[in-house]
Amino acid sequence: MTAVPEHAPAPAYRPPAVAPPRFRQLLAAEWIKLRSLRSTSWVLGTGGLTVIGINVNSAVSNAELLAHQPALPPVKPGAPPLPEVMFDPLHTAFVPPAWQLFMIIAATVGGITVFGEYTSGLIRTTFAAVPRRQAVAAAKATVVTAVMLVLGAVVSGVSFGVTQSLLKDYGGLSLGDPGALRAVAAGALLAPLCALVGMAVGAVVRHAAGSIVTAVGLLLLVPALFQGERYRWVKEIGNAMPLSAWQRLVMNPERPYGLGRYPLSVTEAWIVYGAWAVAAVAVTLYVVRRRDV
């Protein structure tokens, strides 16, 4: 029998190996983070109702104006025809100020999911538990995209359905009419697109006020600066912005006024949507992986 030395060192403690968390577990964690913030629910709920309310108010106002519009006098022989009244019922479901507000809300919520953890210091705990930073960022992007897609679909669908119901006696549309389904889809996808852009800005700036201001400038102010048509390159830059793509996709194909000299095609508008979403996710993954906490 071999004797054990009295002063033999104790064997080193080795903690049991723990399997890295799976992606669905990261999704669950990010979902808990997002829904645990009461402010997020209030912002999304209030913002969605506000957008719907503005669109519905537009439909009610147009219906009242059309109901009380005096009948046009008969045109005398040889007189020039009276100008045609341009009324687009599809426009009432997608009033630009309402949806621009929705873009800001979506971008803000997307940015909060990133800069919120950096400003509070929680990101250190997250990366200590999950060293794979890109997996964490991908889970954030997936959860934000899913939540904002549902919200965007509800807001876009309700806005279209209610406004066209109010305008049923004045040319209200159904989803089967040309351009209607495309417009609803574009409105639904605008929310996750802007949220992903907000995430990318939040990952780069990492400051609440700075991220929100930068996102607003990128999504709303930059397109306004590149709307002139004197130089084609200026207009092309404006056409490459999400706001311009959305405006093209929600345009009624039977009333295509306002296209300008250098119009954006429907296919190009969808490409702009996809390119911005992919670029936003790529920027978020790269910045989160490369920059220090």
Side-chain angles (χ1 to χ4, degrees):
M1 183 174 182
T2 304
V4 179
E6 295 182 0
H7 302 289
Y13 173 74
R14 294 182 179 180
V18 179
R22 298 182 179 181
F23 190 69
R24 66 170 180 267
Q25 295 173 321
L26 298 180
L27 292 177
E30 294 302 327
W31 166 242
I32 293 173
K33 293 178 186 177
L34 183 62
R35 67 183 177 86
S36 62
L37 294 174
R38 296 183 178 180
S39 58
T40 303
S41 302
W42 279 101
V43 168
L44 294 179
T46 304
L49 291 176
T50 301
V51 174
I52 295 173
I54 295 174
N55 293 323
V56 170
N57 181 67
S58 174
V60 172
S61 300
N62 281 285
E64 291 178 352
L65 289 175
L66 294 172
H68 297 88
Q69 184 179 15
L72 296 176
V75 180
K76 297 180 180 180
L82 295 174
E84 181 183 359
V85 178
M86 300 296 292
F87 171 69
D88 185 3
L90 186 60
H91 179 76
T92 61
F94 301 97
V95 180
W99 288 87
Q100 289 172 7
L101 173 63
F102 198 42
M103 293 174 68
I104 296 174
I105 293 172
T108 301
V109 172
I112 288 175
T113 61
V114 178
F115 68 69
E117 287 198 58
Y118 279 99
T119 55
S120 64
L122 181 61
I123 195 67
R124 296 185 180 87
T125 304
T126 300
F127 288 156
V130 186
R132 297 177 301 159
R133 296 186 176 189
Q134 287 185 315
V136 175
K140 288 181 181 293
T142 302
V143 171
V144 169
T145 299
V147 172
M148 298 308 296
L149 179 59
V150 172
L151 179 65
V154 171
V155 172
S156 184
V158 172
S159 294
F160 178 83
V162 175
T163 55
Q164 302 313 302
S165 176
L166 293 171
L167 296 171
K168 62 181 179 181
D169 296 331
Y170 310 101
L173 306 175
S174 65
L175 283 177
D177 290 316
L181 183 59
R182 182 188 71 201
V184 173
L189 293 173
L190 184 66
L193 170 60
C194 294
L196 291 175
V197 172
M199 284 189 64
V201 173
V204 173
V205 179
R206 298 186 179 183
H207 185 272
S211 298
I212 295 173
V213 171
T214 303
V216 172
L218 185 62
L219 293 173
L220 299 182
L221 299 184
V222 173
L225 295 175
F226 292 92
Q227 290 301 312
E229 296 190 345
R230 183 175 181 180
Y231 302 103
R232 181 166 185 170
W233 66 270
V234 173
K235 184 62 176 178
E236 293 294 350
I237 294 176
N239 287 341
M241 305 303 294
L243 179 60
S244 301
W246 170 82
Q247 290 173 336
R248 180 64 182 90
L249 292 171
V250 300
M251 184 178 293
N252 193 333
E254 296 184 349
R255 296 174 175 84
Y257 50 87
L259 286 176
R261 295 171 56 189
Y262 309 110
L264 182 68
S265 68
V266 172
T267 302
E268 291 171 340
W270 285 122
I271 293 175
V272 170
Y273 261 47
W276 272 83
V278 172
V281 173
V283 168
T284 302
L285 295 178
Y286 177 81
V287 173
V288 169
R289 178 175 179 269
R290 300 293 298 181
R291 292 182 61 180
D292 293 333
V293 178

